Amino acid sequence: MDDQAIKEIVAEIQLLMVGRAPGKIFQLSPLSLVIDFRLRDQGDLFISVAPAHPRLYLVKRRVRDLEKQSMPLTQFGQSLRKELSNTTLRSIEKDPNDRIVSFQFSGQTN
């Protein structure tokens, strides 16, 4: 992903996701997750940190299909689920000098 594409994706998902609480987390591979932000028709947040193919976008899949495709949560996925419970997404920001996207949550973390 190039810098401009990341900026555009962040701008799009920011409008849809800020103020929402994360729901179920689906582990699609050891390096990719889908997080349900209850966006209904817009989709769920797909995040991949695979070094060769990092990705961040909304994906439209039925919960039933995500459940079939998912594997048990890794230790990171379990920690993420624990830390995000009872929180709300406060902001999404792209680092102006790098391809790093930061998600800020507020609420009672565990």
Side-chain angles (χ1 to χ4, degrees):
M1 288 182 149
D2 64 44
D3 195 56
Q4 185 59 36
I6 296 170
K7 285 180 185 177
E8 291 174 14
I9 291 168
V10 168
E12 179 183 340
I13 63 176
Q14 193 173 34
L15 293 173
L16 297 170
M17 294 174 40
V18 169
R20 293 188 171 272
K24 191 165 183 174
I25 298 174
F26 302 94
Q27 185 93 43
L28 300 185
S29 78
L31 299 174
S32 65
L33 299 165
V34 171
I35 303 174
D36 177 11
F37 275 89
R38 300 172 184 97
L39 296 173
R40 299 179 199 250
D41 296 333
Q42 286 84 16
D44 301 310
L45 183 65
F46 176 83
I47 301 171
S48 173
V49 295
H53 300 289
R55 301 279 184 253
L56 173 70
Y57 55 84
L58 295 176
V59 61
K60 291 184 182 180
R61 294 189 187 160
R62 296 182 311 177
V63 171
R64 184 179 314 142
D65 294 337
L66 287 169
E67 288 172 343
K68 286 180 185 177
Q69 295 172 348
S70 66
M71 56 188 278
L73 288 175
T74 61
Q75 187 173 357
F76 174 78
Q78 291 173 12
S79 296
L80 185 64
R81 180 179 60 194
K82 180 181 176 187
E83 290 299 317
L84 295 183
S85 66
N86 300 316
T87 65
T88 302
L89 182 61
R90 188 177 59 195
S91 68
I92 307 170
E93 296 177 0
K94 185 206 164 296
D95 185 307
N97 301 316
D98 207 340
R99 298 184 309 156
I100 298 170
V101 177
S102 299
F103 293 79
Q104 302 293 322
F105 291 86
S106 62
Q108 182 180 355
T109 59
N110 295 316

